[in-house]
């Protein structure tokens, strides 16, 4: 059985977190690893349905995802988690859960500037916010607390998706997890 781990990809909406996670999943699967991508949008639909976007609800959502990720990772799965998780204390609590169980955890900050994210605007959120149809957009009119010491920082605007995924894969290799 391969060693499990959680790779938490945090960053602004449209930073490239999910795209990088799926590219990384393909690399890991090609190497025989068991992998699950815990996509933030899917989690909100199926596990955190009914939660809003208040600070408390965002914290609850992150803790639920962190619980599932740790459970998978503890059982030999690479849990790739492309989730905004805007608050440092919520991410720290997830890391602590992993530390307490001895489960490897890596935090990857997909540090794409808001100006680049708003051009990508994969889901149309920035356009809706600019039109006054949406409030509470992380990084625009709601806070995003950047990680102070992530295990890896990716500036996706300067590299391809493949290069970004390969940098995470290299980190996993370096840590004996890939």
């Amino acid at each position: 059985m391969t060693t499990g781990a959680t790779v938490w990809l945090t960053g602004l909406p449209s930073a490239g977190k999910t795209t990088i996670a799926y590219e990384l999943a393909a690399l890991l699967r090609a190497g025989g690893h068991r992998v699950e991508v815990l996509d933030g949008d899917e989690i909100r639909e199926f596990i955190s349905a009914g939660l809003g976007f208040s600070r408390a609800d965002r914290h609850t959502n992150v803790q639920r995802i962190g619980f599932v990720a740790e459970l998978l990772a503890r059982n030999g799965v690479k849990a790739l988690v492309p989730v905004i998780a805007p608050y440092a204390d919520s991410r720290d609590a997830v890391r602590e859960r992993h530390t307490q169980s001895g489960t490897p955890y890596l935090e990857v900050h997909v540090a794409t500037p808001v100006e680049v994210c708003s051009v990508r605007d994969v889901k149309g959120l920035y356009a809706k916010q600019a039109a006054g149809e949406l409030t509470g957009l992380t990084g625009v009119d709601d806070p995003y607390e950047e990680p102070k010491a992530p295990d890896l920082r990716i500036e996706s605007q300067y590299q391809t998706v493949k290069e970004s995924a390969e940098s995470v894969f290299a980190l996993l290799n370096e840590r004996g997890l890939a």
Side-chain angles (χ1 to χ4, degrees):
M1 175 149 71
T2 61
T3 302
T6 294
V7 178
W8 197 287
L9 296 103
T10 180
L12 296 174
S14 297
K17 301 175 301 296
T18 302
T19 306
I20 294 167
Y22 279 106
E23 184 77 17
L24 176 59
L27 287 172
L28 289 165
R29 286 185 182 114
H33 295 272
R34 295 169 49 210
V35 180
E36 290 295 334
V37 176
L38 300 179
D39 181 275
D41 293 333
E42 292 175 358
I43 296 291
R44 274 207 171 264
E45 182 178 351
F46 297 107
I47 295 177
S48 293
L51 289 179
F53 291 91
S54 67
R55 184 178 181 110
D57 282 356
R58 288 177 191 247
H59 180 77
T60 298
N61 184 50
V62 168
Q63 297 316 296
R64 288 177 183 177
I65 298 167
F67 172 81
V68 173
E70 192 277 328
L71 180 68
L72 289 167
R74 163 165 41 104
N75 285 283
V77 176
K78 299 293 187 293
L80 309 182
V81 186
V83 174
I84 296 168
Y87 302 112
D89 61 342
S90 296
R91 294 189 307 265
D92 291 346
V94 171
R95 182 186 291 274
E96 181 59 27
R97 170 185 291 284
H98 283 73
T99 299
Q100 287 178 1
S101 69
T103 305
Y105 176 89
L106 301 174
E107 183 178 71
V108 177
H109 180 205
V110 183
T112 310
V114 69
E115 300 79 23
V116 174
C117 295
S118 66
V119 170
R120 291 179 181 172
D121 204 9
V122 178
K123 299 173 195 161
L125 299 175
Y126 293 93
K128 286 180 182 175
Q129 192 278 335
E133 300 169 14
L134 176 73
T135 59
L137 181 59
T138 302
V140 178
D141 60 352
D142 209 53
Y144 176 75
E145 299 170 356
E146 290 191 8
K148 291 187 181 0
D151 296 283
L152 179 65
R153 179 180 160 94
I154 293 173
E155 295 182 1
S156 70
Q157 71 275 21
Y158 299 126
Q159 58 192 43
T160 66
V161 171
K162 184 177 184 196
E163 290 169 334
S164 295
E166 286 172 345
S167 67
V168 182
F169 187 82
L171 178 62
L172 284 164
N173 246 337
E174 177 185 302
R175 303 275 174 97
L177 300 169

